[in-house]
Amino acid sequence: MSDSPADIFEQLNELMKRLMEQGLKEQGDQSKPFAYGFKIVLHDTGMAETPATEATPVAEPNEPPSEGTIEPIAEMYTTDDDVTVAIDLPGAEMENIHLSLINGTLTIIAGGNQLTSVEVPAVDADSMQSRYKHGVLEVKFSRGKSIRID
């Protein structure tokens, strides 16, 4: 394999896959969720390459190049009464974490460059409780009371 960025990421991906499989085997309880980490999304800066033979200078882009975003991993745990979403946000400051629940989608923005959304089942939005400790945000909702039809 070469040292191109694509090959390096592929090697890292394979290593993480083996580590996760090993962790699942050592965990014992296969029914318990096991996922940690985040994915990085890089955006194209839109700069075109200029051939060496072209004499005119290339104009600078109007917008600065994007540094990309980090999409944290979110896990959802449900019971008959509650829905809990856990998100890994290592290094995020509590005051820089913003939550919104719109049309069944919980959106988490942390520090301006960490963004993730999770589709949640029907919950009572007013029951939302959140806790941030040791880099993990937990957002808990009550499913609300079922409506009895007579």
Side-chain angles (χ1 to χ4, degrees), residues 6 10 13-14 16 19 30 37 52 59 61 68-69 84 88 90 99 116 124 127 134-135 139 150:
E10 184 62 34
N13 187 39
E14 287 299 316
M16 290 302 295
L19 288 172
Q30 298 294 321
T69 58
T84 302
D88 289 333
L99 306 172
T116 193
D124 177 9
S127 70
H134 302 297
V139 183
D150 293 325

Side-chain angles (χ1 to χ4, degrees), residues 91-103:
E93 298 292 328
M94 188 169 59
E95 58 272 2
N96 294 330
I97 299 173
H98 304 281
L99 306 172
S100 68
L101 180 65
I102 300 172
N103 295 330

Side-chain angles (χ1 to χ4, degrees), residues 103-116:
N103 295 330
T105 301
L106 175 65
T107 301
I108 301 98
I109 301 172
N113 71 333
Q114 298 184 50
L115 169 71
T116 193

Side-chain angles (χ1 to χ4, degrees), residues 67-79:
E67 295 297 322
T69 58
I70 298 172
E71 185 176 331
I73 298 294
E75 297 180 67
M76 183 169 35
Y77 307 98
T78 60
T79 66

